[in-house]
């Protein structure tokens, strides 16, 4: 328990909140007290404390409920522990006061810090002429595969490191309630969720004027909304929601509480802001809008440049509006990475039979979660750092959903059992080459529409980029081998880092050999590059 208290104190002291001179002095005192307490705990653990008693037999020990966790606390006659608790409580109060002060100052800025902004035209989706699939001639397939290094001279494309998700600027404490709080139940991609929200929390905006929005923000800043925010953050954790999915959840929740209204927009913006995200409010023609900041370039969407940051209007396309450019402390931009599976409720798609032409035993059934497919369909296509090639790494890095892992993966593992790495990948490669129907995105969708891995298992058609994303995901998950994506103008292939010696066209990267596996070179074997690919202009895209 002592370790727990000491960690809590360190967390409070390291949150990085700006403090005035008086608070700095409290911090020094708390640090000194924590060192004294740490020595006290050490001495007690070594049996040097003469009066130490077992907690279970101490009649003065009490249990109190805090943040839904039972914490045993010894009676206050222990002076060192009492001093520690006092300092910890003071630090907690200081941070809560900091958040209150930040919200009050923010509300004051809302009264006057609005300026007119014009939107910039959206960055168009990448358009390039796709290379059609090639079916290898039988005589070419029978030729022996030789080692052939590919001269990749261009810069290797790598995603920037994943940052932790934003967190509140200060701890948001559970508030006691006299009676059980009512909850609002709503649905996000077929997934029912409930968040505490009472009739007393409903509010009205008389209009979208600066004064009206400021007054509403002050109301929202009270502790009455703490439990609501805590429920939202808890769902973000338990459902493993990425930043985009979390914003979608808040939007659905706010509309369930307040309907399609300016009040719902403000509630969404407030909770997203309090959760640590960089948000701005805009207004035009009597309507309020939420703008989110991101380092990503979202294709085909107008955006506003405010300072050095790019903001997109959530769920709308507006070209001109008044925007309040006020920063909240420690705000963080949205990331469009999806590092974890989004845990939506499962709604099975129809079963598909997928069979390899060269290996008839590679005949499996597959189905996916339609709720996840709906999420993927809404997900904004983007790249990061203005590098168009990063979009494929982002798609390839999303983990395969649990439903596929439970249904498809055992079948494939059984088919690959006992095989060498090369033989296993020969079967996976031909399965992706021949069990799926190739079609150009332009013909099916009318624009470039790269898939997450699950989408290739759901939709009847896929192209080279979709196949490479899917095959790289299968190889990493089923065989534990590293993969690369290889971009040629108009074509995407992949390469595998075998742990055994495998011949074929290969790339050397950081001293490791990656052998080409092209899921669009139909019936070609491991190590064969599709004809007419210009290796001198190829680029390597790293995936996790």
């Amino acid at each position: 328990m002592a370790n727990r208290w000491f960690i809590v104190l360190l967390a409070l002291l390291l949150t990085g909140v700006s403090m005035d001179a008086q608070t700095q002095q409290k911090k020094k005192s708390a640090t000194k007290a924590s060192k004294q307490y740490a020595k006290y705990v050490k001495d007690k653990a070594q049996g040097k404390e003469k009066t130490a008693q077992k907690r279970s037999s101490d009649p003065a020990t009490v249990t109190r409920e805090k943040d839904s966790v039972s914490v045993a606390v010894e009676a206050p006659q222990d002076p060192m522990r009492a001093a520690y608790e006092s300092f910890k409580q003071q630090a907690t109060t200081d941070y809560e006061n900091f958040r209150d002060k930040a919200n009050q100052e923010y509300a004051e800025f809302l009264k006057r810090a609005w300026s007119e902004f014009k939107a910039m035209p959206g960055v168009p989706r990448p358009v390039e002429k796709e290379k059609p699939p090639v079916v290898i001639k039988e005589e070419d397939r029978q030729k022996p595969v030789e080692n052939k290094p590919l001269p990749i001279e261009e810069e290797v494309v790598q995603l920037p490191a994943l940052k932790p998700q934003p967190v509140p600027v200060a701890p948001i404490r559970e508030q006691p309630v006299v009676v059980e709080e009512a909850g609002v139940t709503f649905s996000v991609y077929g997934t029912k969720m409930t968040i505490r929200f009472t009739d007393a929390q409903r509010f009205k905006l008389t209009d979208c004027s600066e004064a009206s929005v400021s007054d509403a923000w002050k109301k929202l800043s009270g502790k009455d909304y703490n439990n609501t925010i805590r429920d939202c953050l808890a769902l973000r954790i338990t459902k493993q929601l990425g930043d985009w999915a979390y914003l979608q959840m808040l939007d659905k929740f706010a509309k369930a509480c307040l309907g399609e209204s300016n009040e719902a927009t403000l509630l969404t913006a407030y909770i997203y802001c309090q959760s640590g995200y960089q948000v701005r409010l805009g207004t035009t023609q009597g309507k309020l809008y939420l703008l989110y900041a991101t380092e990503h370039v979202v294709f085909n969407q107008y955006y506003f440049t405010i300072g050095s940051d790019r903001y997109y209007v959530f769920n709308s396309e507006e070209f001109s509006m008044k925007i309040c450019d006020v920063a909240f402390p420690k705000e963080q931009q949205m990331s469009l990475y999806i590092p974890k599976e989004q845990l939506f409720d499962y709604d099975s798609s129809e079963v598909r039979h997928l069979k390899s032409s060269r290996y008839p035993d590679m005949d499996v059934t597959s189905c996916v979660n339609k709720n996840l497919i709906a999420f993927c369909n809404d997900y904004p296509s983007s790249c990061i750092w203005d590098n168009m090639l990063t979009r494929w790494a982002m798609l390839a890095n999303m983990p395969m959903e649990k439903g596929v892992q439970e249904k498809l993966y055992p079948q494939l593992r059984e088919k690959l059992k006992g095989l060498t790495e090369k033989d296993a990948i020969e079967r996976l490669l031909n399965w992706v080459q021949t069990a799926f129907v190739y079609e150009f995105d332009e013909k099916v969708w009318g624009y470039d529409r790269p898939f997450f891995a699950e989408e290739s298992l759901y939709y009847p058609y896929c192209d080279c980029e979709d196949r490479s994303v899917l095959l790289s995901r299968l190889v990493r998950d089923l065989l534990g081998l590293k993969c690369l994506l290889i971009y040629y103008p108009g074509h995407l292939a992949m390469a595998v880092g075998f742990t055994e010696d495998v011949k074929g066209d290969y790339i050397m990267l950081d001293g490791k050999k990656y052998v080409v596996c092209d899921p669009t070179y139909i019936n070609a074997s491991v190590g064969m590059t599709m004809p007419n690919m210009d290796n001198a202009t190829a680029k390597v895209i790293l995936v996790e």
Side-chain angles (χ1 to χ4, degrees):
M1 184 62 68
N3 288 338
R4 175 187 175 92
W5 288 337
F6 192 63
I7 291 171
V8 171
L9 179 62
L10 287 176
L12 289 170
L13 294 175
L14 294 175
T15 51
V17 178
S18 300
M19 303 178 181
D20 56 22
Q22 181 180 1
T23 307
Q24 289 285 3
Q25 184 60 42
K26 292 177 182 177
K27 179 180 178 181
K28 292 179 182 178
S29 300
T31 303
K32 181 178 179 181
S34 67
K35 290 180 180 178
Q36 293 173 344
Y37 185 68
K39 183 178 183 302
Y40 163 79
V41 171
K42 181 179 178 181
D43 290 345
K44 185 172 181 177
Q46 293 176 346
K48 296 179 181 179
E49 176 60 46
K50 297 180 181 180
T51 60
Q53 298 179 356
K54 291 183 179 180
R55 298 172 68 86
S56 58
S57 61
D58 187 349
T61 298
V62 297
T63 300
R64 68 182 180 190
E65 194 73 11
K66 183 174 183 179
D67 289 354
S68 302
V69 179
S70 294
V71 181
V73 182
E74 289 189 9
Q77 72 262 23
D78 184 333
M80 189 61 70
R81 184 166 291 143
Y84 171 80
E85 287 295 324
S86 176
F87 278 116
K88 186 178 75 169
Q89 182 60 43
Q90 182 61 53
T92 300
T93 301
D94 288 343
Y95 290 123
E96 288 178 343
N97 290 341
F98 175 81
R99 175 172 167 255
D100 291 341
K101 182 179 179 182
N103 273 310
Q104 291 302 312
E105 291 177 350
Y106 192 89
E108 287 302 315
F109 276 115
L110 284 171
K111 289 182 179 179
R112 56 184 182 274
W114 297 72
S115 301
E116 194 73 30
F117 286 85
K118 300 290 184 182
M120 299 292 291
V123 177
R125 289 187 181 91
V127 177
E128 56 184 316
K129 188 174 181 180
E130 292 185 57
K131 303 287 186 181
V134 175
V135 179
I136 192 171
K137 297 178 181 179
E138 186 59 28
E139 57 268 29
D140 291 337
R141 192 178 72 82
Q142 295 298 335
K143 293 177 182 179
V145 178
E146 302 293 337
N147 275 332
K148 178 185 175 184
L150 303 182
I152 304 297
E153 300 176 357
E154 296 288 342
E155 180 181 352
V156 173
V157 177
Q158 183 175 13
L159 293 178
L162 177 68
K163 299 176 183 177
Q165 281 189 294
V167 296
V169 68
I172 298 177
R173 303 295 175 185
E174 179 80 12
Q175 297 302 303
V177 292
V178 177
V179 295
E180 185 177 351
E181 291 179 304
V184 172
T185 299
F186 57 102
S187 180
V188 184
Y189 296 110
T191 305
K192 285 189 176 181
M193 301 181 184
T194 300
I195 292 173
R196 284 175 288 180
F197 193 84
T198 66
D199 287 339
Q201 291 174 276
R202 302 182 190 277
F203 63 96
K204 288 293 293 182
L205 285 169
T206 55
D207 51 38
C208 286
S209 68
E210 292 88 340
S212 180
V213 173
S214 173
D215 290 343
W217 193 276
K218 289 179 181 178
K219 174 178 172 58
L220 291 167
S221 301
K223 289 183 171 57
D224 290 345
Y225 293 84
N226 275 19
N227 294 352
T228 298
I229 300 171
R230 286 173 59 84
D231 285 356
C232 293
L233 290 167
L235 283 168
R236 190 182 73 172
I237 294 171
T238 58
K239 296 298 183 181
Q240 300 183 170
L241 301 179
D243 294 348
W244 175 260
Y246 183 58
L247 180 54
Q248 292 283 351
M249 184 199 80
L250 296 183
D251 176 61
K252 299 295 190 296
F253 162 67
K255 288 176 179 175
C257 297
L258 302 168
E260 294 271 357
S261 65
N262 289 330
E263 290 82 1
T265 299
L266 186 59
L267 178 61
T268 302
Y270 174 74
I271 299 177
Y272 211 51
C273 169
Q274 300 303 296
S275 300
Y277 292 92
Q278 188 170 336
V279 175
R280 297 293 184 266
L281 289 168
T283 181
T284 183
Q285 298 181 349
K287 190 170 182 180
L288 198 63
Y289 294 93
L290 181 157
L291 294 86
Y292 62 90
T294 179
E295 292 181 321
H296 297 253
V297 176
V298 180
F299 301 134
N300 281 28
Q301 287 194 23
Y302 285 86
Y303 64 91
F304 293 85
T305 301
I306 306 176
S308 60
D309 299 325
R310 183 178 287 162
Y311 289 83
Y312 294 90
V313 183
F314 181 59
N315 283 349
S316 184
E317 287 282 348
E318 294 296 329
F319 315 122
S320 176
M321 66 172 64
K322 289 177 66 178
I323 299 172
C324 181
D325 181 21
V326 179
F328 201 82
K330 296 183 179 296
E331 61 185 14
Q332 185 174 318
Q333 295 191 358
M334 171 198 288
S335 170
L336 288 173
Y337 289 174
I338 311 179
K340 297 180 180 180
E341 179 190 0
Q342 308 298 279
L343 299 180
F344 302 124
D345 290 349
Y346 194 84
D347 180 14
S348 180
S349 66
E350 293 183 4
V351 174
R352 293 181 69 185
H353 284 266
L354 299 165
K355 183 178 181 180
S356 164
S357 65
R358 192 196 299 177
Y359 304 101
D361 63 315
M362 289 289 291
D363 183 3
V364 298
T365 58
S366 174
C367 55
V368 298
N369 184 1
K370 291 194 293 184
N371 291 332
L372 178 65
I373 296 300
F375 166 77
C376 293
N377 191 53
D378 287 347
Y379 202 75
S381 180
S382 73
C383 67
I384 193 165
W385 287 352
D386 295 307
N387 188 329
M388 299 294 181
L389 304 187
T390 57
R391 67 191 191 277
W392 289 314
M394 288 159 49
L395 295 169
N397 285 344
M398 187 175 87
M400 186 71 83
E401 65 158 344
K402 187 177 179 182
V404 173
Q405 294 187 36
E406 291 177 344
K407 296 177 175 63
L408 176 63
Y409 280 16
Q411 299 176 68
L412 291 175
R413 285 194 177 95
E414 182 64 28
K415 308 294 184 183
L416 306 178
K417 186 169 61 178
L419 299 178
T420 64
E421 289 176 358
K422 180 179 182 300
D423 288 343
I425 292 184
E426 287 283 11
R427 283 161 173 75
L428 282 176
L429 175 61
N430 190 262
W431 182 71
V432 176
Q433 288 171 344
T434 60
F436 297 84
V437 180
Y438 187 98
E439 192 54 87
F440 296 107
D441 279 348
E442 187 65 32
K443 183 176 179 180
V444 178
W445 301 96
Y447 57 90
D448 180 64
R449 174 67 159 79
F451 284 167
F452 290 100
E454 292 87 348
E455 293 182 285
S456 291
L457 297 170
Y458 177 76
Y459 293 111
Y461 306 105
C462 57
D463 63 7
C464 62
E465 58 192 10
D466 308 326
R467 293 171 177 224
S468 293
V469 166
L470 173 61
L471 182 58
S472 71
R473 184 77 270 165
L474 296 176
V475 170
R476 285 174 287 166
D477 289 352
L478 296 173
L479 301 175
L481 299 178
K482 293 184 177 180
C483 294
L484 302 172
L485 299 177
I486 309 173
Y487 169 77
Y488 304 93
H491 183 62
L492 194 70
M494 61 160 289
V496 176
F498 291 90
T499 62
E500 58 190 33
D501 185 31
V502 175
K503 293 182 178 180
D505 297 345
Y506 68 90
I507 294 168
M508 290 299 299
L509 185 65
D510 295 332
K512 186 173 180 62
K513 178 181 176 182
Y514 292 85
V515 182
V516 171
C517 298
D518 194 329
T520 311
Y521 191 12
I522 311 301
N523 283 324
S525 298
V526 168
M528 293 181 172
T529 300
M530 200 163 81
N532 301 319
M533 295 293 105
D534 184 1
N535 292 312
T537 61
K539 296 183 180 180
V540 169
I541 304 170
L542 301 185
V543 296
E544 295 176 355

